[in-house]
């Protein structure tokens, strides 16, 4: 199987969907002539031209709303945010318009819209550029939220997101863009709402999404080598819809869970997972569910400190050892 | 802006040299402007080296090529005036009186930095010097500048707030909302668009719908506006002082568009920097429109400085920058626990409010 980067996987998904469906249009800042600030759209403008791949002024509120309107008309806009942090400038369009119009119209209007871009800290760009809004978005009925951790998932989820008839927010990660992974040549999609067990284990479940999954996998490796603890790693992949069954099955097997989350702890995605586990798998638990989240302050710039602000394998191992 | 347009707006500095605000300048003040421009350039060149050595994280947006804008405009400010800008703010920070040491230390994320290593390159602040940042979200600072000016008027202080933004930032909704409120309420704010021709890799022509210039958009809000050749310090001062006076004396806003040019990429990490504009274009500006060279030429023509004097000022600026690098490198990083300082005033001060209820949710 070919090994490609997460970036190439996203690029391939976009290219395939552009070729497949005339209604797909890519819109965002620097997506066309510049090839994308993070090169996700590299080569697409050259191949598909200015009608299908469109550069915008720096007007997030305006172009996100444009995406909503175009989707209402049946186009399938894929809106790139250079950073998800910049979505805050256009939050009204995402939450009030993309999130509520279908409901308020009594189902008369559909919104086949994708909003995508990186949503991560860890790159020393300061508090305003390091937001992880998947919890806010997941908190909005009407929006869907996915967060791929690997090249394979990135491609499969992106294709599904584009074909989905509801607004889907795809939360990527600049620190994963260069990661390599196997991606089949033949066409595939990954349904939204299906988690993936990235590593089987029997002693404890490590549950997360996005880059936290990669950190959890590193921790699991060390737990096996250094402590003879067998950790299972569950990758949510999709935050809303959420695959409760896979999470609960894992916890019922291992009887312990540590949730790993690059979100801030207060009302973070992991908070929802924790309440769900205690509600539906309370009797299966041998220990309290604990969490490793981003340290609860705005993202600090100072590079050696920010490294510790996000979940680390060390912090995961510490939490695991406390309950195993 | 095209070269042809720039050529068109180019005229003799003499007209502007005669403006009262310039005619009254002493030699010392004129040399001071040169010193400040050189200090900015040498500071940034030193920071670029550190970035290339991998000692800095994140982004580094260099102001090199635009120095005359910050120096010319901010040279007109009094202690009742204020300044706020975006992430390309090292120049404004330095002319507003921030030290190279605190700025360089901030770039390295050190606890001696102006923001204790918390803000980084895009987020310098010095409220004690009327410098309010340093803002990373494009145009996010524009309503803040409006608010600072609102507070001045509210307190009946005769001052203004210079609110800088880029030519790409003019297309954000909050900027237009701010223009309308400023004109509607008579807020003493001076919006200054530093038009360096590009927003990242997008030329002005590809980002803004205009008839002749960006500043004329002020017409839509019944606001005064002007367009300025930024390479000419005298022109920058002569035209800015009108706007500043209008703000201070009449409590009316102005939109200034100052044409300028950046030599480096959007940020140092801009891999495409040579793709969206030709190397010859950059070279042309360096050769013909460098604000520092032009000011040096002017000072020599006026007999204010000779080559030796200029070299001495430059040497000092380089030394100061070198010392700031050493200071920054020798400074400690913040302690991990300091991540939680400076989030809430009440918690930092240990007040009752800061002790009541849980503020942080680390497990
Ligand atoms: C809301 C928002 N959108 C996008 C960005 C990314 N970005 C940072 S600077 C920039 C270009 C701004 O250009 P301009 O306003 O001309 O200022 P210049 O960089 O030329 O000083 C972009 C797109 C951002 N920081 N914030
Ligand atoms: Mg610009």
């Amino acid at each position: 199987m070919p090994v490609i980067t997460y970036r190439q996987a996203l690029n391939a998904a976009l290219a395939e969907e552009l070729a497949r469906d005339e209604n797909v249009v890519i819109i965002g800042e620097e997506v066309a002539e510049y090839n994308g600030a993070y090169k996700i759209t590299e080569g697409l403008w050259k191949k598909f031209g200015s009608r299908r791949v469109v550069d915008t002024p720096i007007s997030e509120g305006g172009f996100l709303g444009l995406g909503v309107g175009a989707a209402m008309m049946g186009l399938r806009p894929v809106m790139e945010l250079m950073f998800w942090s910049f979505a805050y400038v256009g939050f009204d369009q995402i939450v009030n318009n993309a999130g509520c119009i279908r409901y308020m119209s009594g189902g008369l209007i559909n919104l086949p819209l994708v909003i995508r871009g990186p949503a991560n800290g860890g790159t020393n760009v300061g508090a305003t550029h390091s937001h992880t809004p998947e919890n806010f978005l997941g908190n909005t009925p009407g929006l869907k939220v996915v967060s791929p951790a690997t090249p394979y998932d990135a491609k499969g989820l992106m294709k599904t997101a584009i074909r989905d008839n509801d607004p889907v927010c795809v939360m990527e990660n600049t620190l994963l863009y260069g990661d390599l992974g196997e991606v089949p040549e033949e066409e595939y999609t990954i349904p939204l709402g299906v988690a993936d067990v990235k590593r089987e284990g029997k002693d404890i479940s490590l549950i997360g999404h996005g880059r936290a999954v990669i950190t959890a996998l590193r921790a699991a490796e060390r737990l096996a080598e250094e402590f003879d603890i067998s950790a299972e790693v569950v990758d949510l992949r999709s935050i809303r819809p959420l695959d409760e069954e896979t999470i609960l099955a894992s916890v019922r097997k291992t009887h312990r869970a540590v949730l790993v989350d690059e979100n801030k702890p207060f009302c973070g995605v992991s908070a929802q997972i924790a309440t769900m586990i205690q509600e539906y798998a309370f009797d299966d638990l041998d220990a309290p569910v604990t969490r490793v989240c981003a340290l609860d302050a705005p993202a600090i710039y100072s590079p050696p400190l920010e490294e510790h602000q996000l979940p680390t394998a060390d912090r995961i191992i510490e939490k695991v050892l406390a309950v195993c | 802006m095209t070269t042809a347009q720039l050529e068109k707006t180019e005229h003799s500095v003499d007209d502007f040299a005669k403006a009262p605000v310039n005619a009254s300048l002493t030699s010392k003040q004129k040399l001071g402007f040169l010193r400040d421009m050189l200090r900015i350039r040498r500071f940034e060149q030193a920071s670029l080296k550190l970035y290339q050595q991998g000692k800095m994280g994140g982004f580094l947006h260099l102001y090199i090529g635009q120095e005359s804008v910050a120096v010319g405009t901010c040279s007109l400010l009094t202690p009742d005036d204020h300044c706020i800008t975006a992430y390309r703010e090292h120049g404004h920070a330095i002319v507003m009186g921030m030290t190279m040491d605190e700025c360089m230390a901030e770039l390295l994320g050190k606890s001696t930095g102006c923001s204790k290593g918390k803000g980084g390159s895009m987020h310098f602040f010095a409220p004690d010097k009327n410098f309010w940042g340093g803002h990373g979200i494009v145009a996010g600072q524009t309503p803040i500048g409006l608010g600072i000016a609102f507070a001045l008027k509210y307190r009946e202080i005769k001052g203004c707030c210079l609110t800088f933004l880029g030519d790409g930032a003019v297309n954000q909704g909050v900027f237009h909302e701010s223009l309308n409120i400023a004109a509607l309420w008579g807020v003493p704010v001076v919006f200054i668009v530093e038009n360096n021709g590009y927003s990242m890799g997008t030329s002005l022509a590809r980002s803004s719908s205009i008839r002749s210039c960006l500043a004329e958009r002020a017409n839509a809000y019944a606001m005064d506006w002007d367009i300025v050749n930024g390479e000419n310090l005298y022109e920058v001062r002569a035209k800015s002082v009108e706007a500043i006076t209008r703000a201070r004396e009449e409590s009316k806003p102005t939109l200034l568009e100052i044409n300028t040019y950046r030599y480096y990429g959007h940020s140092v990490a801009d891999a495409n920097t040579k793709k969206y504009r030709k190397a010859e274009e950059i070279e042309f500006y360096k050769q013909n429109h460098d604000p520092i060279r032009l000011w040096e030429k002017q000072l020599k023509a006026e007999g204010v400085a000779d080559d030796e004097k200029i070299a001495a000022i430059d040497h000092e600026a380089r030394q100061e920058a070198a010392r700031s690098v050493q200071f920054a490198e020798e400074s400690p990083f913040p302690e991990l626990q300091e991540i939680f300082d400076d989030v809430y005033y009440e918690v930092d001060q240990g007040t009752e409010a800061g002790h009541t209820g849980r503020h942080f949710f680390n497990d």
Side-chain angles (χ1 to χ4, degrees):
Chain A
M1 216 187 288
V3 172
I4 62 173
T5 61
Y6 187 107
R7 171 185 285 112
Q8 289 167 322
L10 288 171
N11 181 272
L14 297 174
E16 287 172 21
E17 295 307 301
L18 278 166
R20 182 180 163 273
D21 184 348
E22 170 76 11
N23 286 316
V24 175
V25 51
I26 292 180
I27 300 174
E29 291 159 19
E30 308 286 0
V31 295
E33 295 192 29
Y34 195 84
N35 279 314
Y38 285 99
K39 303 280 168 276
I40 303 305
T41 54
E42 180 140 43
L44 299 181
W45 173 67
K46 207 164 172 199
K47 181 153 182 217
F48 295 96
S50 300
R51 180 169 165 263
R52 310 289 307 282
V53 184
V54 187
D55 277 327
T56 66
I58 310 169
S59 309
E60 283 84 358
F63 74 71
L64 286 169
L66 175 153
V68 172
M72 288 161 65
M73 291 292 286
L75 298 191
R76 292 187 175 271
V78 179
M79 314 303 297
E80 172 170 309
L81 289 165
M82 200 177 284
F83 285 68
W84 259 102
S85 290
F86 308 155
Y88 293 23
V89 169
F91 224 52
D92 176 53
Q93 298 303 327
I94 302 176
V95 176
N96 273 328
N97 288 346
C100 300
I101 282 181
R102 182 166 203 284
Y103 188 74
M104 295 187 303
S105 74
L108 294 176
I109 296 169
N110 297 327
L111 286 137
L113 174 73
V114 171
I115 308 172
R116 53 155 291 271
N120 59 283
T123 59
N124 322 130
V125 287
T128 57
H129 282 51
S130 304
H131 293 294
T132 55
E134 58 266 34
N135 56 331
F136 300 169
L137 300 164
N139 188 255
T140 305
L143 298 179
K144 294 177 176 175
V145 187
V146 301
S147 179
T150 65
Y152 178 87
D153 292 341
K155 183 171 179 194
L157 288 170
M158 183 61 73
K159 285 173 71 89
T160 310
I162 294 172
R163 295 180 198 186
D164 198 271
N165 290 310
D166 293 310
V168 184
C169 303
V170 183
M171 320 305 285
E172 303 161 9
N173 191 311
T174 54
L175 293 172
L176 297 180
Y177 281 155
D179 278 12
L180 289 163
E182 289 191 336
V183 175
E185 233 147 342
E186 56 281 7
E187 152 111 325
Y188 69 97
T189 55
I190 297 171
L192 310 186
V194 179
D196 184 40
V197 176
K198 286 276 188 297
R199 178 187 172 111
E200 303 261 358
K202 56 183 180 33
D203 300 327
I204 190 160
S205 302
L206 305 179
I207 303 165
H209 65 273
R211 182 163 164 270
V213 174
I214 308 300
T215 314
L217 284 167
R218 267 209 306 279
E221 219 162 277
R222 283 178 46 198
L223 284 165
E225 278 170 26
E226 298 167 31
F227 303 97
D228 202 27
I229 290 172
S230 161
E232 176 149 302
V233 177
V234 179
D235 176 0
L236 302 179
R237 295 203 296 200
S238 172
I239 290 164
R240 187 175 185 139
L242 182 68
D243 180 356
E244 294 195 330
E245 277 323 302
T246 299
I247 298 166
L248 292 172
S250 178
V251 173
R252 288 190 178 117
K253 179 169 81 171
T254 63
H255 308 294
R256 290 175 171 82
V258 170
L259 314 181
V260 189
D261 198 348
E262 294 198 346
N263 235 196
K264 296 294 188 316
F266 192 101
C267 297
V269 171
S270 53
Q272 176 64 25
I273 311 290
T275 190
M276 188 259 290
I277 293 174
Q278 75 84 26
E279 200 169 343
Y280 299 114
F282 187 76
D283 291 335
D284 296 288
L285 285 173
D286 285 344
V289 175
T290 58
R291 298 193 291 159
V292 178
C293 298
L295 297 181
D296 197 14
I300 192 165
Y301 159 67
S302 189
L305 272 82
E306 198 194 4
E307 215 173 288
H308 293 285
Q309 190 163 12
L310 295 180
T312 58
D314 283 341
R315 272 168 66 205
I316 298 171
I317 290 167
E318 199 179 301
K319 286 282 175 195
V320 169
L321 295 180
V323 294
C324 274
Chain B
M1 185 176 52
T2 65
T3 308
Q5 277 174 306
L6 189 82
E7 231 80 76
K8 218 168 49 192
T9 58
E10 201 181 356
H11 28 209
S12 120
V13 278
D14 289 347
D15 317 337
F16 298 108
K18 287 189 201 116
V21 70
N22 291 325
S24 62
L25 285 170
T26 63
S27 297
K28 197 171 156 211
Q29 285 173 308
K30 293 177 188 178
L31 289 169
F33 300 154
L34 177 65
R35 179 173 297 112
D36 276 344
M37 289 197 287
L38 283 166
R39 287 174 68 233
I40 295 168
R41 188 162 295 188
R42 301 311 173 210
F43 171 85
E44 289 209 313
Q45 285 170 336
S47 74
L48 173 61
K49 251 191 219 148
L50 290 178
Y51 192 91
Q52 287 164 338
Q53 291 165 6
K55 290 180 177 161
M56 214 178 287
F59 296 134
L60 179 66
H61 306 90
L62 297 178
Y63 193 61
I64 293 178
Q66 304 185 201
E67 294 92 341
S68 51
V69 179
V71 171
T73 53
C74 295
S75 66
L76 297 161
L77 301 187
T78 70
D80 284 336
D81 300 311
H82 297 252
C83 169
I84 187 168
T85 184
Y87 45 83
R88 201 179 297 285
E89 90 279 29
H90 305 160
H92 310 77
I94 286 172
V95 278
M96 292 301 287
M98 292 182 74
T99 67
M100 284 196 200
D101 281 3
E102 62 183 326
C103 293
M104 197 65 85
E106 187 60 31
L107 294 180
L108 294 197
K110 299 301 182 79
S111 63
T112 52
C114 46
S115 299
K116 305 178 200 160
K118 291 184 165 164
S121 166
M122 300 192 285
H123 309 111
F124 291 178
F125 297 90
D128 62 323
K129 301 184 174 72
N130 294 358
F131 180 63
W132 297 96
H135 296 266
I137 297 297
V138 167
Q141 77 281 8
T142 57
I144 306 181
L146 174 69
I148 290 167
F150 174 86
L152 291 174
K153 184 178 181 186
Y154 184 88
R155 294 212 169 113
E156 298 177 359
I157 294 169
K158 275 200 170 187
C160 70
C161 183
L162 301 188
T163 302
F164 295 86
L165 63 154
D167 51 289
V170 300
N171 295 313
Q172 284 288 29
V174 285
F175 177 54
H176 289 266
E177 296 171 26
S178 301
L179 288 175
N180 182 53
I181 294 174
L184 187 69
W185 293 356
V187 181
V189 57
V190 180
F191 292 111
I192 300 176
V193 177
E194 292 194 56
N195 182 356
N196 59 16
Y198 296 90
S199 48
M200 282 191 74
T202 304
S203 65
L204 177 64
R206 292 207 301 119
S207 62
S208 285
S209 173
I210 51 172
R211 284 191 209 284
S212 65
C213 68
L214 292 170
E216 69 174 0
R217 286 184 177 180
N219 281 336
Y221 300 100
M223 184 189 295
D224 288 304
W225 59 276
D226 206 347
I227 184 155
V228 185
N229 178 0
E231 75 196 31
N232 177 347
L233 209 56
Y234 281 144
E235 180 170 342
V236 172
R237 283 173 48 86
K239 290 186 169 174
S240 301
V241 81
E242 287 180 22
I244 290 171
T245 307
R246 186 176 297 123
R248 284 185 195 137
E249 301 302 327
E250 300 171 51
S251 197
K252 277 191 182 161
T254 305
L255 176 57
L256 290 180
E257 174 180 355
I258 305 189
N259 288 312
T260 182
Y261 196 76
R262 69 164 152 78
Y263 293 172
Y264 287 86
H266 167 68
S267 77
V268 176
D270 175 3
N272 283 357
T273 176
K274 300 237 165 65
K275 289 192 185 147
Y276 53 83
R277 55 182 186 176
K278 293 202 173 67
E280 298 88 77
E281 178 181 304
I282 305 173
E283 206 41 47
F284 177 81
Y285 273 88
K286 284 187 184 173
Q287 290 308 324
N288 301 289
H289 300 285
D290 183 80
I292 298 182
R293 277 200 194 186
L294 291 175
W295 188 243
E296 287 173 355
K297 217 169 99 185
Q298 179 69 24
L299 293 186
K300 282 199 273 187
E302 290 182 26
V304 171
D306 55 16
D307 284 328
E308 203 181 328
K309 179 77 193 161
I310 290 168
I313 292 175
D314 190 24
H315 181 72
E316 266 173 49
R318 286 173 192 270
Q319 295 275 303
E320 188 185 354
R323 280 195 305 274
S324 76
V325 170
Q326 192 184 350
F327 171 81
E329 297 211 88
E330 286 170 359
S331 292
F333 285 107
E335 300 290 333
L336 188 60
Q337 199 50 36
E338 291 172 38
I339 282 186
F340 306 108
D341 296 343
D342 308 314
V343 181
Y344 294 110
Y345 170 92
E346 304 289 353
V347 173
D348 290 341
Q349 301 301 316
T351 62
E352 194 179 334
H355 287 306
T356 309
R358 186 174 174 184
H359 287 76
F360 294 98
F361 293 84
N362 299 299
D363 21 46

